[in-house]
Amino acid sequence: MTYPPRVIPPGSTIGVLGSGQLGRMFAIAARRMGYRVHTLSPDYDTPTGQVADREVQAAYDDLDAVRDFARGVDVVTFEFENVSAAATEAAAEHAPVRPAGSVLHTTQHRLREKGFLAGAGFPVTPFAAVRSLDDLRAALAALGTPAVLKTAGWGYDGKGQVRIAAPGEAEAAWASLGGQEAVLEAFVDFDREVSVVAARGLDGSFAHFGVIENRHHRHILDVSTAPAAVPSGVEREAVAIARGILEGLGVVGVLAVEMFLTRDGRLLVNELAPRPHNSGHLTFDACVTSQFEQQLRAICGLPLGSPELLRPAAMANLLGDLWSGGEPDWAAACRFPDVKLHLYGKADARPGRKMGHLTALAGTVEEARERVVAARSALAGPA
Ligand code: AMP
């Protein structure tokens, strides 16, 4: 198998497995730099497909379709990480896959991910593997309550999670996850949630977007702000953790590290995402190089760009719930001149579904937060 030269230059074709908003914003960044983009997913007329050069509709486990897809591109990357090892191996027969399938294999399963993190000495929330009701009872006795039981695979945005307030709730909690392999975590009474979105180039170079602060609503990211209001020591440690993780996993591309900052100033890694991340969306408008362009540069073997934040920024997600009273009033949000509107081209506005986001730039983080929340409120129309 011969791979293309080290640098995959503009004019080449990037294959994206997955077709949601992350792929869409990646495709916009890639096309701006003169690349072509193909996307593969089981869906059609997708957020990524709408802006890609080619949209292939196939199941991720249709290995012949994945091989065909990889044959037509110069490098394969992801916007959806729950792709099987068999699919990434099939793709790798025909094109470099970045980040490698091994990175996805680790991060798509909470026990493998936590095993890697704890084994490498990174600080993680106290946890225990749970494969039976007896395991769960033992884990609750060891970790105490409250605790959170999470399925080991296929969880995101709080799906596949149940909070356990007292040991007596074990049976119901185990049943509610359908008896799937799970992980029990001690409940962290955190001060705030933060993330570090970082990139590692083909040559091992490293760049990060600093610490971003994240507020969730009903387990879904609601508002992110940058820079996070954390002491410089915490920032240094968060970035060092992220760097160690990208290096430990041998990532080529972008990876986001979600962390809890405890009330006594400790950082605990909650989750890894081996791709651009919702908390990094503000980099699209607020940084010299966005997380999407950084992913492109990394997987193409180009030098990483400057991640410098040009102005304090805030991002607010637009969920499908906003459509409950009809089409949002887009002009009202556009009346805020320092607010940028992003919509993902999704037709069906289901509650909880990520439909778009707003980014506000301002003189301070607090102003940016207020501005983005005000612009989002204006979408609902006059009160
Ligand atoms: P996750 O899907 O693991 O990222 O969890 C979604 C959200 O649930 C997190 O961003 C937290 O707000 C909350 N959460 C998850 N795990 C814990 C925990 N062990 N302690 C406290 N809050 C948690």
Side-chain angles (χ1 to χ4, degrees), residues 31-380:
R31 293 190 70 154
R32 192 171 69 174
M33 280 179 60
Y35 287 88
R36 293 181 178 276
V37 178
H38 293 182
T39 170
L40 179 144
S41 82
D43 303 312
Y44 187 69
D45 190 29
T46 58
T48 309
Q50 289 166 11
V51 298
D53 295 85
R54 182 157 177 249
E55 181 172 42
V56 176
Q57 189 175 14
Y60 298 116
D61 56 6
D62 179 345
L63 300 186
D64 287 332
V66 171
R67 280 190 195 97
D68 251 13
F69 180 76
R71 241 179 248 124
V73 302
D74 297 291
V75 58
V76 171
T77 192
F78 307 89
E79 74 100 57
F80 172 75
E81 70 260 42
N82 284 315
V83 175
S84 70
T88 54
E89 280 159 23
E93 290 169 21
H94 300 285
V97 174
R98 295 176 183 153
S102 58
V103 177
L104 270 68
H105 184 70
T106 302
T107 57
Q108 68 195 192
H109 188 274
R110 289 188 195 273
L111 284 171
R112 284 199 290 268
E113 181 173 287
K114 285 181 191 296
F116 157 73
L117 290 167
F122 296 106
V124 290
T125 313
F127 73 98
V130 172
R131 297 188 178 87
S132 67
L133 181 55
D134 282 345
D135 280 357
L136 177 56
R137 291 204 172 102
L140 283 167
L143 297 178
T145 52
V148 191
L149 186 65
K150 304 179 179 180
T151 51
W154 298 99
Y156 66 98
D157 286 347
K159 293 191 175 71
Q161 292 192 17
V162 49
R163 194 173 161 185
I164 302 179
E169 295 172 15
E171 202 159 338
W174 180 240
S176 78
L177 294 189
Q180 296 175 66
E181 185 180 32
V183 52
L184 186 77
E185 286 177 20
F187 189 80
V188 181
D189 180 25
F190 52 76
D191 175 46
R192 55 191 73 201
E193 290 188 75
V194 297
S195 55
V196 175
V197 178
R200 190 165 168 273
L202 200 53
D203 60 356
S205 53
F206 176 77
H208 66 86
F209 293 97
V211 181
I212 299 170
E213 184 171 337
N214 304 312
R215 295 195 187 164
H216 291 76
H217 182 61
R218 286 199 243 116
H219 294 286
I220 302 177
L221 183 62
D222 185 40
V223 174
S224 291
T225 47
V230 294
S232 57
V234 169
E235 176 173 5
R236 268 198 304 278
E237 195 195 336
V239 170
I241 290 170
R243 183 174 195 147
I245 291 172
L246 271 88
E247 286 173 357
L249 288 171
V251 171
V252 174
V254 167
L255 181 137
V257 184
E258 295 179 35
M259 289 174 254
F260 299 130
L261 178 59
T262 64
R263 294 185 192 281
D264 55 358
R266 285 174 305 127
L267 286 163
L268 299 173
V269 177
N270 172 36
E271 226 182 9
L272 308 180
R275 50 167 171 74
H277 188 255
N278 196 166
S279 65
H281 287 1
L282 52 78
T283 64
F284 214 158
D285 299 305
C287 294
V288 174
T289 308
S290 73
Q291 61 171 348
F292 305 104
E293 183 179 328
Q294 208 69 296
Q295 181 187 19
L296 175 76
R297 285 170 174 253
I299 65 169
C300 289
L302 292 170
L304 299 179
S306 162
E308 183 187 348
L309 183 71
L310 298 169
R311 289 173 76 190
M315 185 272 340
N317 270 334
L318 305 179
L319 301 185
D321 313 60
L322 263 175
W323 275 250
S324 62
E327 189 71 16
D329 184 355
W330 303 121
C334 292
R335 254 172 236 127
F336 291 74
D338 289 345
V339 170
K340 309 295 288 182
L341 170 65
H342 297 250
L343 288 171
Y344 307 147
K346 298 181 184 178
D348 187 11
R350 291 189 300 274
R353 190 173 194 209
K354 290 174 181 171
M355 302 295 290
H357 68 268
L358 297 172
T359 306
L361 306 176
T364 67
V365 170
E366 268 326 304
E367 264 177 74
R369 184 197 302 280
E370 280 165 26
R371 207 167 282 178
V372 85
V373 169
R376 185 170 60 182
S377 303
L379 287 174

